[in-house]
Amino acid sequence: MIFVARQIQKKWHEQNRDLNIAFIDLADAFDIVNRELLCKALSKIGVPNKFLTILKSLYDYMNVVVSAGGNKSEPFSVDVGVQQGCVLPPVIFNICVTAVTLLSHQQVTLDDGIKIQFSLDCNLFNLRRLQA
């Protein structure tokens, strides 16, 4: 992560451009995903309703039990977050983060004094201007 940040900083410096980087701690991000918002985001980007229905059925009425020291808690419901340990949640989470990024980009204007620049097509840098 630090290597990537330094490379981005170096390339921006080579192009004589200002750069501000915000770091977001995603350590517990899977635990706090709002499922309703997630389904809305997935719907807006064109995920079929049939898939959304299957996804909702995985998470609706999800109960868990905590085990500590051989003792188990009573089952309780979990209303936020996505399951961990399977392939699907990281993909869904990445789609959610992309949706939030796109929404932020629409809501923040240059008049706010903040320029958000990102790329989904690997063209973040002006390759003609790079000196490396």
Side-chain angles (χ1 to χ4, degrees), residues 1 14 18 21 34-35 44 48 64 72 74 77 82 89 93 117 119:
M1 180 66 170
E14 287 176 4
D18 292 331
I21 299 176
N34 181 317
R35 294 182 196 150
K44 281 190 176 190
V64 297
K72 293 183 179 180
E74 293 294 319
S77 67
V82 292
F93 180 76
Q117 187 169 349
S119 173

Side-chain angles (χ1 to χ4, degrees), residues 66-93:
V66 175
S67 177
N71 298 323
K72 293 183 179 180
S73 72
E74 293 294 319
F76 59 94
S77 67
V78 177
D79 300 325
V80 294
V82 292
Q83 294 176 353
Q84 298 176 28
C86 114
V87 177
L88 188 59
V91 174
I92 294 170
F93 180 76

